Amino acid sequence: MTSYAVVIPTLVPDTLADCLAALAAATGPHPEEIVLVDDRPDPEPGALRHPLDVLGDLRERTVVLAGGGRGPAAARNTGLRAVRTPWTVFLDDDVQVGARWCEQLAEDLAGASPDTAGVQGVLAVPLPGERRPTDWERDTAGLVRAHWVTADMAYRTEALKQVGGFDERFRRAFREDADLALRVLDAGWRIRQGRRTTRHPLRPASRWASVRRQRGNADDALMRHLHGPDWWDKAVAPRGRIRTHAAITTAGLAACALAATGHGRAATACALGWAAGTAEFARARIAPGPRTRHEVTTMLATSVLIPPTATWHRLAGAWRHRHTPAWQEEATP
């Protein structure tokens, strides 16, 4: 039997106990070790007592390491350095593995060819059945189609160390998994889809969560520097609306500048362009949703804020990483 370790970076949310309880209850060969990386900047004593208690007999195989609040990529690297097994399985702290997960994982790993570095789990996001999903819920459901997400991802420990683990410049839980996978593939390994299943429940989110997520556009800029302008295709990632957001933002800024300098007619034309672009964006987000008052007002407000926020973060990321070489150049001694 191929032995494995489970690494879970965490900020100790309420979901962590359910995550660990599901892992402990799964049938099949359990992990040789579980490495929890507490990535809170200032950990509160005792916060991990209950989550660790639900592990039962697996508690003896569990170690808790401090991550120092440096983000999930750095936290996973901290966990990776403690692993001594041939395979390292990354789980997020808000997922729940299936009832036969350990058994199915063993089958996934046993069936991996020698040139297979990674085996991805199958994610399921349960959407509400009584109504249409909200924008946030649809965004979460996109994980089902995503490639190489570390919500449930098994890698050969050897392959991870060969490519240097996760790039710690990715400070958010965004793109760090795609970057790692592209480097693993470029190193000559394969990554395939496994059969084990993991549930990713929906969790409540602030109405401004979609605006905060625009910080990921800075990571897209880093991906472009590392993997080239065609990284979208390499990573099988949706391009999103960054170009449209930039056009909407430009129209809005131009309208303000033209109005301030007395060019009323041109300012009106730019303002109409901004309004039309914003309205189309809002409509595209409202139409497939539940269309409740709360959802509609949230979509209207955030559709005004997202284009300039996304554009700002993309420009800031491009400037911050303007001297970043392609990863092959970084790896060259």
Side-chain angles (χ1 to χ4, degrees):
M1 185 194 75
T2 302
S3 62
Y4 67 96
V6 171
V7 173
I8 305 176
T10 183
L11 295 175
V12 196
D14 295 338
T15 57
L16 178 60
D18 292 334
C19 172
L20 296 179
L23 179 59
T27 60
H30 282 132
E32 292 293 318
E33 52 188 335
I34 300 172
V35 183
L36 282 177
V37 184
D38 186 346
D39 201 37
R40 295 172 298 169
D42 299 303
E44 299 176 9
L48 277 169
R49 185 176 299 117
H50 171 62
L52 291 175
D53 286 344
V54 305
L55 284 169
D57 294 340
L58 290 182
R59 177 66 181 88
E60 297 178 355
R61 305 186 186 187
T62 303
V63 61
V64 179
L65 303 176
R70 296 182 297 131
R76 292 190 187 101
N77 283 343
T78 297
L80 175 62
R81 286 191 287 271
V83 170
R84 298 293 179 266
T85 54
W87 286 87
T88 302
V89 184
F90 297 104
L91 292 176
D92 284 350
D93 61 5
D94 56 354
V95 303
Q96 297 168 13
V97 300
R100 298 177 55 235
W101 185 83
C102 294
E103 175 185 342
Q104 293 171 330
L105 172 65
E107 294 172 356
D108 284 346
L109 302 186
S113 59
D115 64 341
T116 296
V119 185
Q120 181 177 348
V122 177
L123 289 181
V125 178
L127 293 174
E130 72 282 1
R131 58 167 174 78
R132 294 178 177 182
T134 64
D135 179 73
W136 173 257
E137 290 167 345
R138 295 193 306 274
D139 186 70
T140 302
L143 291 171
V144 172
R145 301 181 299 276
H147 285 65
W148 316 313
V149 289
T150 42
D152 180 356
M153 189 70 192
Y155 275 111
R156 290 189 191 273
T157 306
E158 170 195 356
L160 292 174
K161 293 183 178 179
Q162 177 183 334
V163 301
F166 290 86
D167 189 329
E168 298 183 9
R169 287 171 293 192
F170 291 92
R171 298 297 297 269
R172 288 166 289 276
F174 191 69
R175 303 301 189 205
E176 84 289 355
D177 43 14
D179 166 73
L180 174 65
L182 290 181
R183 287 186 283 116
V184 168
L185 293 171
D186 283 345
W189 295 91
R190 296 173 60 242
I191 300 174
R192 70 174 183 84
Q193 179 72 61
R195 298 180 61 187
R196 66 190 185 279
T197 58
T198 293
R199 185 172 177 264
H200 191 301
L202 296 169
R203 63 181 188 274
S206 160
R207 72 189 310 170
W208 308 111
S210 59
V211 178
R212 288 196 294 270
R213 283 180 64 87
Q214 301 312 308
R215 291 178 292 184
N217 283 282
D219 297 323
D220 284 352
L222 177 55
M223 286 290 287
R224 189 181 191 282
H225 283 281
L226 290 172
H227 300 286
D230 61 341
W231 75 267
W232 301 93
D233 298 325
K234 295 177 182 177
V236 200
R239 283 187 174 272
R241 284 176 165 257
I242 188 60
R243 293 181 179 176
T244 305
H245 291 335
I248 293 171
T249 302
T250 300
L253 291 174
C256 294
L258 289 168
T261 55
H263 296 81
R265 185 171 298 178
T268 299
C270 289
L272 288 174
W274 171 86
T278 302
E280 185 279 328
F281 181 41
R283 185 205 63 77
R285 301 173 70 209
I286 292 171
R291 305 182 193 178
T292 61
R293 177 179 296 181
H294 181 273
E295 178 72 359
V296 170
T297 56
T298 297
M299 293 301 97
L300 290 174
T302 55
S303 293
V304 171
L305 296 174
I306 284 175
T309 304
T311 303
W312 165 256
H313 284 297
R314 185 55 179 269
L315 292 174
W319 176 259
R320 185 182 314 126
H321 302 298
R322 64 192 183 280
H323 298 309
T324 299
W327 85 269
Q328 293 95 334
E329 297 174 16
E330 290 187 329
T332 301

